[in-house]
Amino acid sequence: MRVLWEFFRVLWALGCLPVGVLLLVVVVLCGFSLPFFLGFAGGADPVVRWLFWALAFYFVGGAWLFWCVDQRYAEKLKRQIAVLLALGFHPHLEVFAKMNDAYLGIDASARRLLVYPVNGAEHFFRFDEVNSWRIVPAGKRNHRLEVLTSNLDVPVFSIVLRSAEVLSTEARLRILLGS
């Protein structure tokens, strides 16, 4: 389901370019008349006003919808992690992915890692299964944390990090896992 939402998010983002250009054309051709767009003044065809609001709601509505979906995934992920915390997993480091759809937790006292999702569920790794890890740039503002393992079922686990969390996550991983 997450892949479908990401597909819709990409379609919405690609649609923002022509919709933004059309919105700019509508605003320019109506002379930047705020009273007209708010409905206080007559003048141009009211269809133009409705076109303006439809295009404006495309931007705002899409952003709001995807923010709500992201929050829903975050709540679901936090509920799943809370269940594992109740079962005895006590992480010293928790990393949530940028889009709240993936998780990495490291319990140094038990010497194991918890990653989610692996085939739709959580998966535990022992420290000796982790070969290496790295944080690499992925695009302009994103970074990807990749954990390379000796487990043949899951040779690589990766999540996208927020830019603000890259340095602190890297420092804490160096302390817990080494370089």
Side-chain angles (χ1 to χ4, degrees), residues 89 104-105 107 110-116 118 123-130 147-157:
F89 179 72
L104 170 77
D107 185 354
R111 301 196 50 79
R112 61 185 181 161
L113 282 78
L114 167 67
V115 296
Y116 177 86
V118 174
H123 186 79
F124 286 97
F125 291 106
R126 293 182 320 273
F127 274 14
D128 59 352
E129 287 182 302
V130 176
V147 178
L148 307 169
T149 69
S150 60
N151 188 327
L152 296 177
D153 294 332
V154 189
V156 176
F157 177 77

Side-chain angles (χ1 to χ4, degrees), residues 44-66:
D45 192 8
V47 173
V48 174
R49 181 181 303 131
W50 288 106
L51 178 63
F52 169 79
W53 286 110
L55 296 173
F57 282 127
Y58 177 83
F59 284 113
V60 175
W64 175 79
L65 174 70
F66 291 120

Side-chain angles (χ1 to χ4, degrees), residues 11-21 58-59:
L11 287 180
W12 174 77
L14 290 176
C16 282
L17 295 173
V19 167
V21 169
Y58 177 83
F59 284 113

Side-chain angles (χ1 to χ4, degrees), residues 9 61-75:
R9 186 184 303 232
W64 175 79
L65 174 70
F66 291 120
W67 179 80
C68 288
V69 169
D70 191 45
Q71 294 304 311
R72 184 170 177 210
Y73 277 105
E75 291 169 8

